[in-house]
Amino acid sequence: MSYLALADGTVWHGESVGAEGHALGEAVFTTGMSGYQEAVTDPSFEDQLICFTAPMVGNYGVDEERNESARTHARAVLMREARGPEWTDWLRERGIVALTGIDTRSLVLHLRDEGAAPGIAVASELAVEDAVELAAGQPSMLGRALVEDVSTAEPYVFAEEGRVRIGVVDYGVKNSVLRRLAKAGATVTVHPHDTDADELAGYDGVLLSPGPGDPEPLEAQADTVRDLLGRTHVLGICLGHQLIARATGHETYKLPFGHRGANHPVHERLTGRVLVTSQNHGFAVRPKSGAGEAAEVSHVSLYDGTVEGLDLPELRARSLQFHPEAGPGPHDAWPLLEAWVNEVAEAVGA
Amino acid sequence: MPRRSDIESICIVGSGPIVIGQAAEFDYAGCQALKVLREDGFRTIVVNSNPATIMTDPGFADRTYLEPLDAESVADVLRIERPDALLPTMGGQTALNLARELATAGVLDELGIELIGARLEAIERAEDRLKFKEAVETCGLKVPESAIVTSLDQLAGLTVPAVVRPAFTLGGHGGGFAMTEEELYRQVERGISESPIGQVLVEESVRGWDEFELEVVRDRIDNVVIVCSIENLDPMGVHTGDSVTVAPQMTLPDEAYQELRDAAAAVIRAVGVDTGGSNIQFARSRETGEVRVIEMNPRVSRSSALASKATGYPIAKVAARLAVGYTLDEIPNDLTGTTPASFEPTLDYVVVKFPRFAFEKFPGADRTLGTQMKSVGETMGIGRTFAEAFLKAYRSRELDAGAATPWQLLADVPEDVHPFFRREVEGIREALGGVGDVESLAAGDWLRLKRAGLSDADIAAAAGTTETTVRRRRRECGVRPAYRRVDSCAGEVEAASNYYYSTWGEVDEAAPTGDRPRVVILGSGPNRIGQGIEFDYCCVHAVTTYRELGYEAVMVNCNPETVSTDYDTSDRLYFEPLDAESVLAICERERPDGVVIQFGGQTPLKLARAIEDAGYRILGTPFDAVDLAEDRERFAGLLRAHGLRSPEWGIAASPDEAVEIAERIGYPVLVRPSYVLGGRAMRVCYTPDEVREMPPFERILVDRFVEHAVEVDVDALCDGVDTYVAAVMQHVEEAGVHSGDSACVLPAPSLSFAQTQEIARVVRILGRALGAVGLLNVQLAVTGDGEVYVIEANPRASRTVPFVSKATGVELVKAACRLALGAKVPELGLPPERPPRQWSVKAAVLPFARFPGSDPVLGPEMRSTGEVMASAADLSTALDKAERAAGRRLPRSGSVFISIREPDHQQAVPIAATLVGLGFELYATEGTAATLAAAGIEVEPVRKLSEATDGEPTVVDLIRRGRCDLVINTPEGRNARSDGYAIREAALARRVPCITTLSGAAAAVHAIATARAEQAMSLQERIDAELGVTQSA
Ligand SMILES: Nc1ncnc2c1ncn2[C@@H]1O[C@H](COP(=O)(O)OP(=O)(O)O)[C@@H](O)[C@H]1O
Ligand SMILES: Nc1ncnc2c1ncn2[C@@H]1O[C@H](COP(=O)(O)OP(=O)(O)O)[C@@H](O)[C@H]1O
Ligand SMILES: [Mg+2]
Ligand SMILES: [Mg+2]
């Protein structure tokens, strides 16, 4: 039997095309129409069951070049119509439960209305009641710290040549982030999530990476960021952005079902321009006043008005909730990463 | 920043008659633009020569001009109306070219009119090959290399493979692909000789590469969004308009897709379209990933209409708002209501478009698909998988049995199709192969078959049973469709969208609620020759009327070009095939008080019986009356019973029997297979041999051909008892030229008062005898001695409804809808029946130039794709203007070539005499010349092609060299390769008006002699004048 069960007892039947067994995680949906392999290997999807709204998934096979990290992070994928064999073999080999034939639209409407929910994807003989019980027994994503599970254990150099030295704190970094930095002319060194501020402050600039889970329990990381801010140039992306926010006295909160997709318009307040962005977050930053007014808010979602970026010039820090590195998704915000590297280079006279 | 406040009035130019490559999509675009501009308080002015459009309805703009779309007429309108701005991006290439012409000629500056939507420089950068290349290269991208070649020694340095495109040949004739240098040499040699200006374009060929299109929108502060990606199944080398296409793109990984997205954004910026939408086409090598930019249309297009329907993102509407100053973050998304137009659509379904061809109407024409578009319409299917969408679009084509067309069968997968699609189609065929015995299928089996996209009819055919059996079994197993919303956001935002498609094995979404009575209106499906945009016009009017009358109007259609499939038009839109399965399922969900079938042409009529059998009520003319009119035997019985005449006829089961019948009723006869519609495969035969030449159909219908008769078309309104004769129209060409192809005049110029009365009497008898409720169209032939024959009666809206409504000011569809709800004719408050005071002419536009090899003559089989309308105070002026609007400007001086078939020689004399009197020089072929000379007319004889001798020019040379301004040539017989054919084709290639009937020639020459220059007048003023006069009469 193959199905997805949510903690609330709702069940969605499908057919298994991936690994056998069952997978627990938070059921979320992403609306991007391409980039399935990137999603599954994106550490930000750690411990999640990804429902793709794209009608057909797997059409163009797989390519190891597309991996966003060294391993898969999503626990299961839920699809209306999977296409194999490349993609489904790849999933099976990596132990990912994959269901096809799921009424994904109904599932999406459910998650949208009821919120992202703990769930279990089953490709085994596990009985539905037991599955629901298991699903309900999982901890909520609210309050979960996952960074430790996905961060590198040892620092490593990603790019040796460059005009500026950028340190990246790995809370669950994506290859696309590292590639874009290198492309912009930076040397890139990746550090574990618990690297201390003094070490990081030695870089021309520090990028706080995206990553999974709730930022709130990451107190140690937020403390490090607080310590770091003002000592060098800092750019936060996604979870990195949330940590900068928490380090500067903002609250974060869980969004009902998150923003995951490749079509979210973001308003850039300084230029008045709209960026079509790649997004993948379940938590957001609460502005100190309304998002539209708070001076430090640099970017606002045109979709729900939430904070999409902060600018803290006195701390030489800025942050973006969306993913300028794309991978997958539109490249509209690529220039923001480049501009930051250039800015750092200019500041250090490189 | 909101709307610009410095402009108050805006003129929109339409795209004119429906032609291949420019169809109803521009009516859709124009309507959307008009809606939002009026909402924003702009005064709007429309110029378009096509009466079958909604955008030219008097209520749609403040001022509407049904005038020819040439610089002269549009300038005239601009001078009268003095708008502040001209929006040229809604009317296809026609409007764009006109805007360019008017701007370059200084007319816009002179009148102080601003071009909005696309500036002149941007239009030029997109349209001019060299400028476009430069712009593309500034983005670090490439276009296919190309060179203009006029002699063979210019070939050095050009590489193969190449595509050779000769300049100014019919349908790109003489062009093609060259794989080797030798082929290139031969191809160019041939191209140069075929091109009248001896010029060819040699372009780097990327045939076989994958073809993609992106729909891009940009605002004045440089925000860019990509609305939709479209992938062509047929790779490069087949025009996108002729390709099966799918959205979203299916085969590119994210990094490759984003590369195209970046390229599209870069190109729209480099070209400089700063407020509006553009379509950008790319070729991409499947092996190397190399990309070429093929072209960019700096305007809304066929593809943008498709993208709008595919995504629910109304590109034309957004483009119009951007043109008047809004930015993308300020414009709300209609479907969600809460997100802005900068939220790029994301799809949780698949959309497939299929082209609809009409090759069967152009025997002799080349059917291979190439770089010139040949399809006449399109269908779209939406499903949750490729297979569902593909098969919906595939079956929505409503092919005539045996019609030769690409993709006639599922096995006809084009060469070079991406393996992904090939596998998908194979998957469908496997599912079909595994159908088995329907009695033994369980719910899970049914679900699998339906999820593979198969229709009940497909399953029935595979299982060797009937569709109704399949449907019954399936429903017994509890397998029914579910309906899904198109919401542009894959469910992420709660949307109150009213736009649906069906799928299988899912939860039904947003079932209809509300207690207003409800009607389901069936559309007309893909545009095709014989069933075009007129029917969409009628459907949209029906929707509007029922809504005004307090009903909920539910629309069903599968044609993405149309206004009826705009989610803004109806209360609910089902984008579904128009077949019994889909329509009955929708009826089951909607539980309508009535189903409306009389506005969608023949398509809904075919479903009438199934709808009634399922227990739904048909509003208006019931199924039995439809059958009575369509069944030859029953109809003949009815005519006989009421003492009405029709041409004698018989049905034959063999050629011999057909000859027997012909002998009995007398030659000439009109012969056709008995099941066809739209005059398909109809022939006039003068001899038994000609009758025998008919392909062996199962049943052959033989009619006495009524010779030299005036054909009359009548549109009437009936309530089952009383009939209101709305218009009696006379055809310019005699009976024998299909009513859809002949020019049509209102009022009828050559009918006496008594004849008109007689015709009205016949129509009234028919209306009552048939029991028609709503619209009734009758075609009649009136002979020289005043006999009136009934040719056919159609108890439904006809092709002429929009024309008549615009000429008389009587809203026929509105009246018909009220009748269908039970109103009586006298209660409708219609103006008294009387011929209109102004003269209106409808002229047909024919696609012969796209089908070299097929003889461009008029006959009983319809072949026009569209029509224009012109009105004036006298007939000649109206006819002259209509011909001009149809792209056949009648000359005022110069030379005329005449070649008339032997039996008609004498009748040509007065025509020739008039021409000479007007100062024309005449050329004629020998026989015709002799007759004219004998009548004392000065004429120069020229040789036919078959009489060619060295040195002396033939008539074909004469035409090719531009020495003729008008050709009058009536065909000799059925020999396609005759001299006449060579003459007509030369005229076509040279764009010289060519008249193929004597009645047409007489009317044209009269128009040349007496047409006046008349100032343009708006439709609103014309209708006021018309109704004012009739009311006081
Ligand atoms: N260089 C080329 N090599 C191969 N096919 C081509 C090439 N250029 C155009 N085509 C084909 O011809 C079609 C029409 O060309 P296009 O330039 O788009 O003209 P149109 O203005 O009619 O759309 C394209 O859709 C494509 O399939
Ligand atoms: N008996 C006839 N005599 C002369 N012309 C005819 C006759 N029957 C049909 N026609 C011509 O053929 C055309 C098409 O025939 P019709 O029966 O109206 O078919 P359709 O269903 O395609 O409209 C008519 O418009 C008319 O010009
Ligand atoms: Mg094109
Ligand atoms: Mg007819």
Side-chain angles (χ1 to χ4, degrees), chain B residues 9-74:
Chain B
S9 54
I10 300 175
C11 176
I12 293 187
V13 179
S15 66
I18 303 302
V19 294
I20 290 177
Q22 265 187 192
E25 61 269 17
F26 299 110
D27 189 24
Y28 164 59
C31 284
Q32 283 205 331
L34 287 168
K35 265 188 209 167
V36 293
L37 295 178
R38 296 190 94 191
E39 255 166 44
D40 250 333
F42 291 101
R43 181 170 188 276
T44 52
I45 298 121
V46 164
V47 197
N48 192 355
S49 53
N50 185 345
T53 52
I54 303 287
M55 73 184 290
T56 55
D57 258 2
F60 243 80
D62 294 288
R63 278 282 174 271
T64 308
Y65 288 85
L66 278 152
E67 294 290 325
L69 288 179
D70 52 27
E72 177 188 333
S73 290
V74 177

Side-chain angles (χ1 to χ4, degrees), chain A:
Chain A
M1 243 194 352
S2 313
Y3 58 91
L4 166 79
L6 298 182
D8 63 10
T10 48
V11 174
W12 318 75
H13 290 279
E15 251 171 78
S16 168
V17 288
E20 282 188 20
H22 64 259
L24 283 158
E26 184 188 35
V28 297
F29 66 89
T30 178
T31 62
M33 290 187 282
S34 52
Y36 45 85
Q37 185 184 348
E38 291 88 325
V40 172
T41 52
D42 176 350
S44 293
F45 278 109
E46 179 75 8
D47 280 3
Q48 288 179 324
L49 315 176
I50 309 180
C51 170
F52 290 103
T53 68
M56 298 176 82
V57 183
N59 301 7
Y60 53 81
V62 290
D63 184 342
E64 292 309 316
E65 294 278 300
R66 290 185 200 125
N67 289 342
E68 281 296 340
S69 71
R71 64 175 177 92
T72 56
H73 292 274
R75 292 296 183 82
V77 294
L78 310 164
M79 300 168 282
R80 172 61 167 83
E81 191 84 0
R83 279 297 172 263
E86 266 191 52
W87 163 238
T88 46
D89 288 350
W90 186 90
L91 290 167
R92 195 173 316 111
E93 283 158 19
R94 283 157 186 74
I96 295 182
V97 174
L99 305 182
T100 187
I102 297 276
D103 179 354
T104 50
R105 184 165 165 92
S106 296
L107 174 57
V108 166
L109 300 184
H110 185 82
L111 295 176
R112 179 192 76 199
D113 294 341
E114 308 293 326
I120 181 168
V122 178
S124 74
E125 294 309 310
L126 185 68
V128 171
E129 305 94 84
D130 299 339
V132 171
E133 203 170 305
L134 281 175
Q138 314 175 64
S140 153
M141 200 45 91
L142 191 65
R144 277 189 81 191
L146 293 171
V147 161
E148 219 171 314
D149 304 344
V150 298
S151 179
T152 178
E154 297 297 329
Y156 64 94
V157 175
F158 177 84
E160 272 176 61
E161 308 274 323
R163 344 168 244 151
V164 277
R165 292 165 43 255
I166 302 293
V168 174
V169 184
D170 179 9
Y171 304 122
V173 75
K174 288 163 64 187
N175 285 338
S176 291
V177 173
L178 305 178
R179 272 199 297 266
R180 290 320 301 172
L181 286 176
K183 182 106 188 180
T187 70
V188 182
T189 312
V190 184
H191 285 269
H193 68 100
D194 51 3
T195 307
D196 65 37
D198 295 342
E199 189 173 351
L200 295 173
Y203 284 98
D204 298 336
V206 172
L207 186 139
L208 306 176
S209 87
D214 186 346
E216 196 168 335
L218 302 179
E219 279 169 25
Q221 289 85 347
D223 286 343
T224 306
V225 172
R226 195 173 299 115
D227 196 359
L228 177 69
L229 286 177
R231 295 166 68 185
T232 182
H233 294 267
V234 179
L235 173 68
I237 297 178
C238 200
L239 182 62
H241 150 81
Q242 293 162 1
L243 288 172
I244 289 179
R246 291 195 69 81
T248 53
H250 295 81
E251 283 175 13
T252 52
Y253 62 101
K254 189 170 191 318
L255 291 165
F257 56 90
H259 295 182
R260 293 178 189 85
N263 64 337
H264 288 244
V266 164
H267 182 72
E268 188 166 71
R269 289 177 67 194
L270 184 66
T271 59
R273 296 268 308 274
V274 178
L275 302 170
V276 179
T277 64
S278 175
Q279 303 210 355
N280 177 14
H281 56 278
F283 293 83
V285 169
R286 203 182 303 286
K288 287 183 179 163
S289 52
E293 299 114 57
E296 76 272 19
V297 174
S298 60
H299 293 83
V300 179
S301 166
L302 282 172
Y303 154 61
D304 61 3
T306 53
V307 174
E308 289 286 349
L310 296 174
D311 190 12
L312 307 163
E314 66 290 357
L315 295 174
R316 286 188 281 163
R318 66 177 56 164
S319 62
L320 303 170
Q321 177 64 74
F322 52 90
H323 291 264
E325 77 280 7
H331 300 160
D332 288 23
W334 267 2
L336 298 189
L337 265 179
E338 256 159 55
W340 180 71
V341 171
N342 290 342
E343 210 176 281
V344 175
E346 215 162 283
V348 301

Side-chain angles (χ1 to χ4, degrees), chain B residues 476-723:
Chain B
E476 280 166 10
C477 292
V479 175
R480 298 189 186 192
Y483 291 87
R484 286 309 201 177
R485 267 179 169 148
V486 169
D487 62 6
S488 79
C489 62
E492 185 173 9
V493 182
E494 188 160 353
S497 137
N498 59 354
Y499 179 5
Y500 298 89
Y501 66 94
S502 69
T503 185
W504 298 88
E506 298 197 3
V507 176
D508 195 66
E509 188 173 339
T513 53
D515 44 19
R516 270 194 297 154
R518 207 174 274 157
V519 292
V520 167
I521 298 166
L522 304 184
S524 59
N527 271 5
R528 63 208 98 159
I529 291 177
Q531 190 166 302
I533 175 178
E534 303 82 3
F535 299 104
D536 203 64
Y537 165 98
C538 292
C539 288
V540 172
H541 276 256
V543 168
T544 316
T545 305
Y546 282 113
R547 292 179 86 174
E548 279 167 12
L549 294 173
Y551 284 74
E552 247 184 15
V554 176
M555 186 72 217
V556 187
N557 202 359
C558 54
N559 179 346
E561 303 168 12
T562 56
V563 179
S564 69
T565 52
D566 186 347
Y567 59 78
D568 244 13
T569 297
S570 51
D571 289 294
R572 268 186 302 287
L573 166 66
Y574 289 86
F575 210 108
E576 289 281 285
L578 287 158
D579 56 15
E581 176 182 353
S582 310
V583 168
L584 293 180
I586 291 163
C587 286
E588 183 172 7
R589 184 176 203 248
E590 290 286 343
R591 310 227 149 265
D593 297 85
V595 181
V596 180
I597 62 166
Q598 57 176 275
F599 301 113
Q602 284 299 124
T603 299
L605 292 194
K606 286 192 266 178
L607 304 173
R609 168 179 297 206
I611 292 167
E612 275 192 0
D613 284 353
Y616 300 103
R617 184 174 146 225
I618 286 173
L619 285 187
T621 309
F623 168 68
D624 188 59
V626 174
D627 190 60
L628 192 51
E630 297 216 324
D631 182 305
R632 269 313 268 255
E633 310 258 358
R634 291 188 70 191
F635 189 59
L638 178 144
L639 292 178
R640 227 178 297 119
H642 291 86
L644 303 179
R645 296 193 64 165
S646 66
E648 272 190 80
W649 65 283
I651 291 184
S654 69
D656 285 337
E657 203 182 325
V659 172
E660 252 168 61
I661 295 173
E663 303 281 331
R664 174 166 54 80
I665 63 184
Y667 288 98
V669 289
L670 192 66
V671 182
R672 61 181 128 172
S674 74
Y675 61 85
V676 303
L677 300 164
R680 257 277 282 132
M682 253 195 204
R683 263 180 206 187
V684 183
C685 300
Y686 292 84
T687 64
D689 285 348
E690 285 175 3
V691 174
R692 280 207 182 84
E693 262 173 42
M694 215 37 204
F697 292 105
E698 247 172 64
R699 281 154 57 86
I700 303 167
L701 198 58
V702 183
D703 282 283
R704 164 81 208 209
F705 181 72
V706 188
E707 272 190 297
H708 305 303
V710 167
E711 187 166 346
V712 172
D713 230 296
V714 179
D715 280 321
L717 292 162
C718 311
D719 59 15
V721 179
D722 283 333
T723 295

Side-chain angles (χ1 to χ4, degrees), chain B residues 711 738-739 777 779 791-792 794 799:
Chain B
E711 187 166 346
H738 195 280
S739 53
N777 166 261
Q779 285 160 32
I791 294 180
E792 66 164 349
N794 296 307
R799 195 173 297 119

Side-chain angles (χ1 to χ4, degrees), chain B residues 354 386-387 390-391 394-395 397 406-414 421-422 424-433 452-454 458:
Chain B
F354 249 96
F386 175 80
F390 177 87
L391 283 178
Y394 177 86
R395 64 173 167 271
R397 292 179 298 170
W407 285 103
Q408 192 181 358
L409 304 169
L410 277 177
D412 299 342
V413 183
F421 297 116
R422 189 173 290 280
E424 291 299 313
V425 177
E426 270 161 21
I428 294 171
R429 294 176 63 204
E430 275 161 29
L432 258 181
L454 303 180
D458 293 334

